[in-house]
Amino acid sequence: MASHGFSVAVCNRSQDKIDLTVKRAENEGRLPLYGFKEISEFVNSLKTPRKIVILVQAGKPVDETIEKLAQFLEEGDIIIDGGNEWFPNSVRRAETLQSKGIHFIGMGISGGEEGARNGPSLMPGGPREAFEQLEPIITKCAAQVDDGPCTTYIGPIGSGNYVKMVHNGIEYGDMQLIAEIYDILKHAAGLSNDEISQTFADWNTSELESFLIEITANIMAKPDDLPGAGGGYLVDKILDKTGMKGTGRWTIQEAAERNVPAPTMAAALDTRYLSGRKTERVAASAILHGPTEIPNVERSQIIEDAKHALFASKICSYAQGMCLIKAASDEFSWNVDLGECARIWKGGCIIRAGFLDRIKAAYVRDPELPNLLVDPDFAAELNRRHTAWRRIVSLCIASGISCPSLSSSIAYYDAYRRERLPANLTQAQRDYFGGHSYERIDRAGNFHAIWTDAHKDIGNVNERNAGNL
């Protein structure tokens, strides 16, 4: 903010952190940034209406920080929580502060270290009048792309946190898909680290262009320069356990709550859980058997197929995320613009990618698009690539290479494109053992069958459906 000409006050319980921040601002061109240890002095230094961004750990620390600030704030002041927060918490805080006339905005921020300094993607949700006070600042501070700053008014309170949560769920899916492709290129195609690096670098000049593809190329080529470590590549020395902060789990919980299938992202989350069971996996590797040979497939064919499979699966991951945002937006009357979500993810954020322009265009063509898969542009891509996609998943299964997100993605695609699924049998089973009834394809209404002599008439069939999701 200071580098964009705004006068900024900072406050932290650690004097060392305050001093470090102030010194950095001084070193970067005497930026207008001032430090305060006491909250009262910090608040009193700000012009009204005050705009205070808090960046603390989600949960109780946010509540404690708001409580300390609120005692010094006045009607019309604005608190902006820039952390990854569970959206109902933001709704609760907004309601509490509203009674004091204080506005509250939950603003998702994506961009990591680079975005924090050079411009992130900002996803604010809260009162429109509070956003309008904040807009001149965040439009300058956000990442800038060809069609504007990577920020917009997402909607009422909770919506900004929700869109950021789903962004992170898509990020989980994207990262897992890339990891699975890396596994295939390394173990099925036999590529070296340098060759994998070059492959991702080449893909980054194609329809797969994205931040995550770009950094994967860099990661694969990074030597291990730790003294005494014996050289080699750093990625090969990193323990195969993936950490997480919880937003991916929230995404899958929300998908279940909204009845939105999200198998690509769910598989990515499950794989992180499995990666954490390292000791169990080491023991299981000596007990459980799999294929001993990799099918003989030309490496050039594997590379080409992998590219198609990755792109098609990425479409599924974004489609699932957009469906989840739409479901929540409809339920809570947020009126979130999915095309704008795609636009503000084009710069600054972790999932920024070239094909977000095409996602934006899809929702501009049809704001009520039920699923990205049936947009004419993306449907053509999937129809063209699905054979290669199937070859890659089949190769993984034949080789004993786990590909949960790739395989979940094509299963999602196949289920969505089929006019009739075997769900008729599942519903028949539910009626058989629980009298849950079923609908017919040849007439309207709910029905129950007397499947055997042991089954009885259950009376009013409609009453059996009370409580259905």
Side-chain angles (χ1 to χ4, degrees):
M1 290 182 186
S3 63
H4 287 282
F6 298 103
S7 183
V8 177
V10 297
C11 182
N12 192 286
R13 61 187 177 185
S14 167
Q15 186 65 50
D16 289 342
K17 290 183 178 180
I18 294 172
D19 293 342
L20 181 64
T21 304
V22 172
K23 183 178 180 180
R24 181 176 177 183
E26 177 72 18
N27 293 338
E28 292 189 16
R30 296 184 177 181
L31 300 177
L33 187 145
Y34 311 94
F36 297 88
K37 181 70 164 61
E38 298 299 325
I39 290 181
S40 59
E41 294 179 0
F42 163 72
V43 172
N44 289 333
S45 74
L46 302 173
K47 294 180 181 179
T48 59
R50 300 175 180 89
K51 306 166 191 69
I52 300 175
V53 179
I54 57 176
L55 294 167
V56 298
Q57 184 178 346
K60 188 176 180 181
V62 177
D63 290 318
E64 292 173 346
T65 302
I66 290 173
E67 184 178 357
K68 291 175 182 177
L69 287 168
Q71 60 185 314
F72 301 108
L73 297 181
E74 300 175 288
E75 185 175 345
D77 289 343
I78 306 167
I79 296 177
I80 305 103
D81 178 15
N84 285 326
E85 185 56 271
W86 182 229
F87 78 100
N89 287 341
S90 288
V91 174
R92 169 178 57 80
R93 290 166 186 145
E95 291 173 349
T96 300
L97 290 169
Q98 187 177 26
S99 64
K100 303 177 182 179
I102 299 170
H103 296 303
F104 185 73
I105 289 177
M107 183 167 70
I109 302 176
S110 178
E113 293 181 11
E114 179 186 340
R117 191 64 189 86
N118 300 318
S121 175
L122 301 172
M123 296 155 258
R128 169 71 78 168
E129 59 267 34
F131 169 77
E132 289 173 354
Q133 293 280 344
L134 191 64
E135 187 177 16
I137 300 173
I138 63 175
T139 52
K140 283 191 176 182
C141 296
Q144 306 293 316
V145 292
D146 57 356
D147 51 1
C150 292
T151 189
T152 190
Y153 179 64
I154 298 297
I157 190 67
S159 61
N161 299 115
Y162 203 96
V163 168
K164 175 54 165 57
M165 174 196 74
V166 175
H167 163 287
N168 285 23
I170 295 171
E171 179 183 307
Y172 273 49
D174 215 348
M175 293 172 72
Q176 178 60 29
L177 289 168
I178 291 170
E180 291 172 19
I181 293 296
Y182 150 69
D183 205 10
I184 293 163
L185 295 178
K186 185 177 182 70
H187 294 108
L191 270 63
S192 67
N193 284 31
D194 283 336
E195 289 171 324
I196 295 173
S197 173
Q198 187 58 56
T199 298
F200 278 101
D202 292 341
W203 287 352
N204 199 45
T205 64
S206 71
E207 66 272 20
L208 285 171
E209 182 270 318
S210 70
F211 173 72
L212 287 171
I213 294 291
E214 176 188 350
I215 68 169
T216 301
N218 295 338
I219 289 168
M220 292 305 305
K222 172 68 175 174
D224 182 9
D225 51 13
L226 185 70
Y233 293 89
L234 179 56
V235 70
D236 296 328
K237 307 291 182 64
I238 295 175
L239 184 66
D240 56 326
K241 288 176 65 175
T242 306
M244 57 186 141
K245 291 292 181 69
T247 47
R249 180 169 55 197
W250 290 344
T251 303
I252 302 311
Q253 289 173 341
E254 267 299 295
E257 187 68 26
R258 308 291 155 220
N259 296 328
V260 175
T264 306
M265 296 183 284
L269 180 65
D270 286 342
T271 303
R272 292 199 184 194
Y273 293 147
L274 273 168
S275 77
R277 296 178 177 271
K278 175 68 173 179
T279 302
E280 292 180 37
R281 289 189 289 111
V282 170
S285 68
I287 300 170
L288 303 177
H289 299 164
T292 57
E293 295 183 358
I294 303 294
N296 185 20
V297 181
E298 288 288 334
R299 62 159 39 185
S300 60
Q301 181 69 61
I302 296 175
I303 294 169
E304 184 65 19
D305 286 351
K307 180 181 180 181
H308 291 307
L310 179 55
F311 188 74
S313 297
K314 281 166 65 74
I315 293 171
C316 290
S317 186
Y318 280 81
Q320 293 159 27
M322 291 301 193
C323 285
L324 181 52
I325 293 172
K326 186 177 189 303
S329 179
D330 290 346
E331 180 163 343
F332 299 116
S333 301
W334 285 339
N335 197 30
V336 175
D337 187 329
L338 298 181
E340 275 292 277
C341 289
R343 186 192 67 78
I344 67 171
W345 290 343
K346 286 171 54 179
C349 73
I350 305 303
I351 64 169
R352 60 185 183 266
F355 84 144
L356 281 162
D357 267 326
R358 297 168 69 179
I359 295 179
K360 174 190 170 184
Y363 287 107
V364 169
R365 281 191 295 270
D366 182 2
E368 296 302 317
L369 185 69
N371 192 304
L372 201 58
L373 271 58
V374 294
D375 170 74
D377 180 26
F378 286 108
E381 291 283 11
L382 294 167
N383 289 338
R384 183 168 68 87
R385 298 172 191 265
H386 76 89
T387 302
W389 196 5
R390 298 179 196 284
R391 284 197 296 263
I392 281 294
V393 172
S394 298
L395 177 62
C396 287
I397 294 170
S399 304
I401 297 173
S402 176
C403 63
S405 282
L406 286 168
S407 57
S408 293
S409 297
I410 198 164
Y412 175 77
Y413 168 78
D414 278 337
Y416 194 74
R417 70 176 182 81
R418 290 186 62 188
E419 182 180 352
R420 186 165 172 83
L421 294 171
N424 53 318
L425 175 58
T426 307
Q427 190 61 25
Q429 291 171 329
R430 294 184 73 242
D431 187 57
Y432 188 107
F433 65 68
H436 294 292
S437 79
Y438 53 86
E439 296 175 85
R440 297 179 60 95
I441 61 175
D442 57 354
R443 65 196 66 189
N446 293 303
F447 299 85
H448 169 66
I450 306 300
W451 295 98
T452 69
D453 292 342
H455 286 85
K456 306 297 181 184
D457 188 345
I458 61 174
N460 189 336
V461 174
N462 293 323
E463 291 179 357
R464 304 290 294 186
N465 294 314
N468 280 358
L469 298 177

